[in-house]
Amino acid sequence: MVDYQVDGDGVATLAWNVADRPMNVLNEASIGAFAQAVARTIADPAVKGVVVTSARPEFVVGADLDLVRSVKTAEQSMAITAPISRVLRTLERSGKPFVAALNGTALGGGYEIALACHRRIAADDARIQIGLPEVTLGLLPAAGGTQRLPRMIGIRAALPFLLEGRKLAPRQALEAGLVDEVVPAAELLARARAWVLADGPAHAVKPWDAKGFRFPGGTPQAPGPTQLFFGVSGGLLGKTQGLYPAPEAILACLYDGCQVDLDNGLKIEQRQFARLATSAATRNMIRTLFYSMGEANRLADRPKDVPVRKFAKVAVLGAGMMGAGLAHVSAQAGLRVVLLDVQQAAAEKGKAYSQKLLDAQVAKGRLSAGKRDQALALIAPTSDYAALADCDLVIEAVFEDRKVKAEVTRQAEAAMSPGAVFATNTSTLPITSLAEVSVRPAQFVGLHFFSPVEKMPLVEVIRGQQTSEATIAQALDFVKRIRKTPIVVNDCPSFYANRAFAMFPYEAMTMLREGVNPILIENAARMAGMPMPALALTDEISVELLHKALQQARADQGAAYRAQPQDQVLDDMVGKFERIGRKAGKGFYDYPADGRKTLWRGLAEHYPVAAQQPDVEEVRKRLMYAQSLEAARCVAEGIVSVRDADVGSLLGWGFPAALGGAIGYIDTVGAPAFVAECDRLATRHGERYAVPDALRAMAAGGSRYYAV
Ligand code: NAD
């Protein structure tokens, strides 16, 4: 786990080499091995100093999350954090100089090892990442990171690294004071050894272990930091709404831990970590953001017997908002792209979108002009279907209109090679119905992207009734190739993400109609942890878009369509009030050109506020339960798996990660309590809250969606 070597000058090298894991991670075995190696260097009088490095491409990427996930009690948590904290304190106070030679990425516990060393030297390689990203998974650096970093660079400078998990490349890390030196990779070890021999002896005591240590920038009680804590804690609560315990725990570590000596600070840190590791929010985040998303990205459910498809050239039909984005992300992945529209000029306009995005990157210095030109040269705008002949995949993104899509499908299939896949990016129309015009429905699949394509990480891969498993596998290969996260969804109107998400704006509109104060609705949505208030979000995606989906459902279902409470609001907003959303400058809000948006005054006239207002908690619950309930229906109907439902809810519409996802939230609340609440809401508000049988049975049987 840790290679041990001592050279003729008495410099020991400890190289991390956790061979039984995909990368160097901290777990019981590797921490034990490191502790033994450290003890050996200290005990050996021949050893003058120690270089800590790695035998693998990365340095150490952090804690083994399998271990963190196994923690059920505070005692178990302490049993994990105390040993690593102890060994780092031991080497720090050994009297021998330790230098971290960061040959590769050092994150979390990896960077904390470096923090305990007396010097940090990194290889000059921009691919290396350095930082403490624990907060992004609901954790905190528990191997001294919350204590040593502020003692080294000051509380103010340490905050963004701890609270936002910012990661830096070596040169930026040098500027920020996270490392002391950056040297060419080939010289790294020699430089580290030379430091041990020449400068090491004079620097083998940390400032905070020396007499007269002055906390850089002052301790939390100093006027500057005190002000800082006031501001930061207020801002933080505004952002997290109290749903995310990790940033709060990190602030507590800083505030409490930086007023005492390091040893006591480390104890405070370990206790705060134990609180997090056993909290529902953190466990939810680790499960969905790390494990479930990891499985989705690795295509864990991909049919195994289908050979991986390599893509060289794809075509995008329709160079509108979605088509232009699709062409862009495909070219960014190095694929040649045919971008087709009715007129050549429209196709060119779609390509111009890519030009705009790439120019902006060049302007910011993130991309060279040469790389931009290379990417742009991959996109070939055209209006000629003959260009589809040698494409591996064709993605249709024309108007959301059955007739237009049917015509485009026919033309494309006539021009495509027999082995190519045809995908539609429809957002609402069932794939099976669109595939009716296809002459090769087994190779017809849904690839539902989200807007803006270049920013949104999720893609729903939708299986029509006749879509073959080979086609699903190849569609997944494509999503992986363009570095997006796929979930696999069975066919139904609006599929999974839009169907479950829509309950959020629908419930808001329903409450508006009932006379609930729109300010209450918006604030409750914010408090629930949704990225935007419900009515504001409806304006953003456009009221018109939801109204079009409604019209489509009415047309498709005819007499069978059952009106919903929000329908009237959508009809009125679009038909009567002509307030179609943000893009028109008027929706549920007014958007003055020169000021901040405000709720439309007309709302009060058309949806008078009732004298009796519900409790904010009731409003919050309705907004969130409506989404989870629809997700539960999708799971019960076999539309989506539990895992994909949660990944989709986080990536597709920003459902709060602390709740685990639309399905994980039901486990977090507890299925029996969730079902009881839905039953109560159903008696008051109708069948929208009807619980699917499978969920009711689960609640009655005391089971959960996820094993604890
Ligand atoms: P858009 O109106 O911006 O673009 C459609 C493009 O298709 C236009 O450039 C148009 O000229 C072109 N087009 C129309 N008929 C054509 C034909 N016969 N042949 C070739 N090109 C033709 O629409 P959009 O927002 O990009 O949506 C495209 C598709 O993606 C729709 O099915 C939509 O439902 C779906 N979608 C949209 C979003 C979104 O947020 N806008 C999200 C997911 C999926």
Side-chain angles (χ1 to χ4, degrees), residues 317-323 340-342 346 385 396-400 404-405 408 425-427 448-451 545:
L317 311 181
M321 187 166 95
M322 296 303 285
L340 182 147
D341 210 300
V342 189
Y385 278 85
E396 168 277 300
V398 299
F399 297 141
E400 188 79 343
V404 180
K405 288 201 189 291
V408 164
N425 176 46
T426 175
S427 38
H448 182 220
F449 287 80
F450 295 77
S451 173
L545 195 78

Side-chain angles (χ1 to χ4, degrees), residues 480-492:
K480 184 172 178 180
R481 172 71 197 267
I482 57 170
R483 290 182 222 102
K484 303 251 176 226
T485 302
I487 60 173
V488 179
V489 176
N490 280 317
D491 203 12
C492 69

Side-chain angles (χ1 to χ4, degrees), residues 243-294:
L243 283 175
Y244 296 85
E248 283 173 45
I250 288 169
L251 269 193
C253 287
L254 287 170
Y255 192 80
D256 297 337
C258 294
Q259 301 188 36
V260 293
D261 62 21
L262 183 72
D263 290 299
N264 280 306
L266 293 173
K267 276 186 207 151
I268 290 170
E269 180 186 86
Q270 287 169 43
R271 288 191 192 132
Q272 289 289 353
F273 181 84
R275 201 162 65 84
L276 293 182
T278 54
S279 74
T282 298
R283 300 182 70 80
N284 280 337
M285 287 172 80
I286 292 177
R287 185 188 63 234
T288 308
L289 289 172
F290 185 78
Y291 287 97
S292 299
M293 214 178 281

